[in-house]
Amino acid sequence: MSLRERNMLMDRSGMIRPGENLDLGLLNQYLKDWPEFEEGVSIEQFPSGFSNLTYLVKSGPQEFVLRRPPVGADVKGGHDMKREYDLLTKINPVCPYSPRPILHCADKSIIGDEFFIMERVRGIILRNAPPKNMPMTSDLMHSISSNAVDILCDLHQIDLDKNNLWELGKPEGYVQRQVTGWIDRYEKSKTDQLPGMEELGAWLSKNVPNSQAVALIHNDFKYDNLVLSLDDNSEVLAVLDWEMATIGDPLMDLGTALAYWVELMDPPALKAFNLTWMPGNLNRQQVLEKYTEQTGIDTSNINFYYVFACFKLGVICQQIYARYKKGLTNDPRFAGLIGVVNACSQNGLKALNNDKISNY
């Protein structure tokens, strides 16, 4: 499920279209002072994603990616281009899977909002359908899913002290702030009565755990934020979309990854957005077991984090759907997102009632 915009790259079956509502003259004028860019850049928009707008910038033989906030977005604390740029600048030297940032522009007169530009990593991104000419064998899916968990484990074991990363977040009280904040976001973006979302929000507010572990967390870790190698389709070259990365409880990150990790028996509305349900993939329980073994982190209370993540994903979809209902975007993909919100709540309720994260 693509709930935040892609940072860099389409898959080989993807399409890109001309950049919309961007003044190429102003952009070229701005970029001429940067040594990475030649005179006369071209720009095209990536079509995938539901939030931040992402563009391919071509300058001679080189290619870059430009990110800007969506039109009409008013999400507090969201779509902060400067924060994402600064974070990438800080973590790129110590996290080999993060893209290299090039520049940030706060002048909204250039393209209509602030933006930043970063490197483009060529590869394959798994979205809602298998890429053309890429056999999605059971062995390949097993390798991709296993490698993805390895990278999440590696991320959570980056030494915060050695790499001076503590300034990237405020881990004390992080879980409580997240629960309170996402419940508030849901209340402000509601368009329909969904009892499941109400029930999850009420339960979460009463069951916030005392978190202990602290790590650098991505907060949007899923297949369509991974760039796979063109030569070895199981190899992950880069992790995209660091917009919500911070220092906090790693189980919040794991819970989010598990909520995105759709299984075969999950609601069809969720399976339409990614490929983790295909044969060969680890299931959610196997992801949890592999993560626990490799990190040594206590995951005994993972059900809370998974339920919270299901609620959070529902809220993200709700916010986008609310923008659609207000007429701030006419993208036809957004019309059915209310069904995805309900599906997220149903997955959360199932985990709450059965006290397990997997349907296996």
Side-chain angles (χ1 to χ4, degrees):
M1 177 166 44
S2 179
L3 302 175
R4 296 279 179 184
E5 185 55 26
R6 294 322 112 232
N7 278 22
M8 293 191 281
L9 189 63
M10 59 187 167
D11 61 34
R12 286 186 293 193
S13 64
M15 299 288 290
I16 50 180
R17 57 181 182 266
E20 300 171 354
N21 302 318
L22 297 181
D23 190 321
L24 267 180
L26 287 176
L27 183 61
N28 273 287
Q29 181 68 21
Y30 177 79
L31 294 179
K32 71 180 180 63
D33 294 328
W34 296 85
E36 291 86 355
F37 300 93
E38 298 181 7
E39 185 176 352
V41 303
S42 64
I43 187 166
E44 298 168 289
Q45 185 176 355
F46 291 109
S48 299
F50 288 87
S51 187
N52 289 327
L53 303 180
T54 309
Y55 303 84
L56 170 64
V57 178
K58 296 181 179 180
S59 177
Q62 298 191 86
E63 294 181 339
F64 304 89
V65 169
L66 181 153
R67 277 169 63 81
R68 59 151 291 168
V71 178
D74 59 355
V75 179
K76 183 179 179 181
H79 316 296
D80 189 336
M81 299 293 100
K82 179 63 163 59
R83 181 185 182 277
E84 186 172 356
Y85 172 80
D86 288 344
L87 186 141
L88 287 174
T89 301
K90 187 76 174 178
I91 69 172
N92 181 252
V94 299
C95 180
Y97 302 105
S98 63
R100 179 174 62 91
I102 306 297
L103 65 90
H104 170 263
C105 176
D107 186 349
K108 297 184 179 182
S109 69
I110 305 299
I111 66 167
D113 213 321
E114 68 170 319
F115 65 91
F116 78 89
I117 294 177
M118 61 188 175
E119 68 172 337
R120 184 194 187 191
V121 177
R122 285 190 170 274
I124 300 170
I125 293 179
L126 299 182
R127 303 200 189 279
N128 61 341
K132 292 180 180 178
N133 304 318
M134 180 178 171
M136 305 299 285
T137 66
S138 178
D139 287 344
L140 176 59
M141 296 311 298
H142 181 82
S143 295
I144 291 173
S145 62
S146 181
N147 290 342
V149 179
D150 287 341
I151 289 175
L152 186 63
C153 292
D154 289 345
L155 175 65
H156 291 173
Q157 295 179 93
I158 290 176
D159 192 318
L160 302 180
D161 291 311
K162 180 180 178 181
N163 297 295
N164 193 28
L165 298 179
W166 286 98
E167 65 187 59
L168 298 179
K170 299 177 181 178
E172 185 175 354
Y174 175 75
V175 177
Q176 179 65 68
R177 292 196 305 273
Q178 288 292 298
V179 171
T180 301
W182 284 102
I183 291 174
D184 182 61
R185 291 182 185 96
Y186 180 67
E187 291 299 322
K188 291 179 178 178
S189 62
K190 276 198 307 187
T191 56
D192 300 69
Q193 292 299 318
L194 297 177
M197 290 293 288
E198 301 287 351
E199 183 176 345
L200 290 182
W203 182 85
L204 289 166
S205 65
K206 297 176 181 178
N207 290 275
V208 178
N210 293 319
S211 59
Q212 301 295 326
V214 178
L216 172 64
I217 59 178
H218 181 272
N219 262 331
D220 204 18
F221 194 87
K222 57 187 187 295
Y223 272 11
D224 61 357
N225 272 332
L226 305 179
V227 180
L228 306 179
S229 169
L230 290 167
D231 298 320
D232 178 358
N233 298 159
S234 68
E235 179 186 0
V236 180
L237 298 178
V239 179
L240 311 181
D241 202 344
W242 293 80
E243 178 185 351
M244 295 187 290
T246 189
I247 305 299
D249 188 338
L251 295 186
M252 294 288 270
D253 210 8
L254 176 61
T256 296
L258 291 169
Y260 280 126
W261 206 282
V262 179
E263 296 179 343
L264 183 61
M265 300 303 293
D266 284 342
L270 300 180
K271 287 193 292 181
F273 287 88
N274 73 38
L275 303 176
T276 52
W277 57 269
M278 293 185 66
N281 282 284
L282 302 178
N283 60 45
R284 287 192 289 264
Q285 183 61 34
Q286 291 170 329
V287 170
L288 175 63
E289 291 170 358
K290 181 177 175 64
Y291 177 91
T292 304
E293 180 180 356
Q294 290 187 204
T295 64
I297 294 174
D298 180 4
T299 60
S300 57
N301 196 24
I302 193 60
N303 210 49
F304 169 87
Y305 295 91
Y306 174 72
V307 170
F308 167 74
C310 290
F311 178 80
K312 181 178 75 170
L313 298 193
V315 178
I316 293 172
C317 288
Q318 178 63 53
Q319 290 176 320
I320 300 169
Y321 181 71
R323 283 175 41 222
Y324 175 82
K325 291 284 284 187
K326 291 178 182 177
L328 297 174
T329 175
N330 59 5
D331 192 320
R333 296 173 302 160
F334 301 162
L337 281 181
I338 193 65
V340 180
V341 178
N342 189 56
C344 289
S345 71
Q346 295 310 305
N347 256 19
L349 287 174
K350 183 180 290 186
L352 193 60
N353 294 330
N354 298 335
D355 196 29
K356 65 176 187 176
I357 63 171
S358 178
N359 288 314
Y360 289 87

